[in-house]
Amino acid sequence: MIGIVLIAHAPLASALAAGAQHVYSCAPERAQVQVQVYDVQADEDVTAALVHARDLVAAADTGNGVLVLTDVFGATPGNVATQLVDPGRVAVVAGANLPMLLRAMCYRDGRLADTVDKALAGGTQGVVQVSATAPQNQGLRHGAAIDPARFQDQ
């Protein structure tokens, strides 16, 4: 299983991990096994942060590779994560969001490159403009009248 390390501005990494644990509460092994979390504090020493991040990658790696998700490319957590890249062993993706994390967790039984692709797809597909229509992928309530005007923009 591909290991996952979350490195983000405090408290985002912990919040993303908690969100994933909530979603995968019926399958805790998906959200808790080989998942490491690092909330980078505002005054964190970059050298110490890199040492800690390397320790987390080592803890998450069982030989199948590690996907590091970080929040902002160019910020301290992203700069630390960038230094962890090891082609074929450690991949880094910036712009972490909950859909990206969930997709990575769901598809981490194969190759690292495939998990990266799934994470990127989940992250981008999870960002949508929401309009005032019926909830997606949910049926209408029994007996509710269908108003075609409500569905014109879907």
Side-chain angles (χ1 to χ4, degrees):
M1 184 179 292
I2 305 296
I4 296 175
V5 176
L6 300 168
I7 302 176
H9 291 87
L12 183 58
S14 293
L16 288 170
Q21 289 174 4
H22 173 82
V23 171
Y24 285 120
S25 61
C26 61
E29 69 282 357
R30 277 285 148 205
Q32 295 172 353
V33 175
Q34 291 174 250
V35 177
Q36 301 292 322
V37 176
Y38 185 16
D39 287 311
V40 178
Q41 302 301 315
D43 58 351
E44 192 110 18
D45 176 69
V46 176
T47 304
L50 180 57
V51 169
H52 184 62
R54 284 187 174 137
D55 290 344
L56 294 176
V57 167
D61 191 5
T62 60
N64 297 314
V66 176
L67 173 59
V68 177
L69 300 178
T70 188
D71 55 355
V72 181
F73 181 77
T76 300
N79 291 338
V80 168
T82 298
Q83 295 181 63
L84 301 171
V85 172
D86 183 359
R89 186 178 151 296
V90 179
V92 175
V93 175
N97 58 32
L98 188 56
M100 176 185 289
L101 176 58
L102 295 175
R103 189 74 64 94
M105 287 179 165
C106 188
Y107 292 98
R108 61 190 185 131
D109 293 318
R111 298 179 326 116
L112 178 59
D114 295 336
T115 302
V116 169
D117 290 343
K118 292 293 187 179
L120 288 168
T124 56
Q125 293 169 1
V127 178
V128 296
Q129 180 179 2
V130 179
S131 60
T133 62
Q136 300 296 309
N137 299 322
Q138 296 182 16
L140 295 173
R141 283 187 235 135
H142 181 69
I146 297 175
D147 179 5
R150 288 183 55 214
F151 300 103
Q152 69 183 11
D153 293 326
Q154 287 192 9

